Amino acid sequence: MTAETNTATTVYKVTGMTCGHCEGAVREELSALDGVASVEASAATGLVTVVSAAPLDEATVRAAVDEAGYELVGQV
């Protein structure tokens, strides 16, 4: 998606994910946010990559990760 000019890719560190179910819960909550095109979550690394139409407000991302039951450490 790097060829597109109107997207933002942000990588976040999330703690507490240990399995595929955890990844799915985080993906589901973040995918529901306005403007999010895709979400990739890795329990092994704790990294979550979000591609969105514009940069997301970190407080909004934090709330979504919290709703999924995990903790947002911040951007990487």
Side-chain angles (χ1 to χ4, degrees):
M1 299 202 58
T2 55
E4 294 183 29
T5 57
N6 294 332
T7 61
T9 301
T10 310
V11 180
Y12 299 95
K13 179 72 173 178
V14 174
T15 58
M17 295 188 300
T18 59
C19 64
H21 174 78
C22 300
E23 295 169 348
V26 170
R27 268 195 312 269
E28 182 178 344
E29 290 296 331
L30 290 175
S31 292
L33 298 178
D34 286 341
V36 172
S38 69
V39 178
E40 292 182 28
S42 171
T45 63
L47 298 180
V48 177
T49 304
V50 179
V51 177
S52 54
L56 299 172
D57 178 63
E58 189 165 318
T60 303
V61 174
R62 185 175 304 281
V65 170
D66 185 59
E67 182 66 28
Y70 305 95
E71 182 180 352
L72 177 69
V73 176
Q75 291 186 30
V76 177

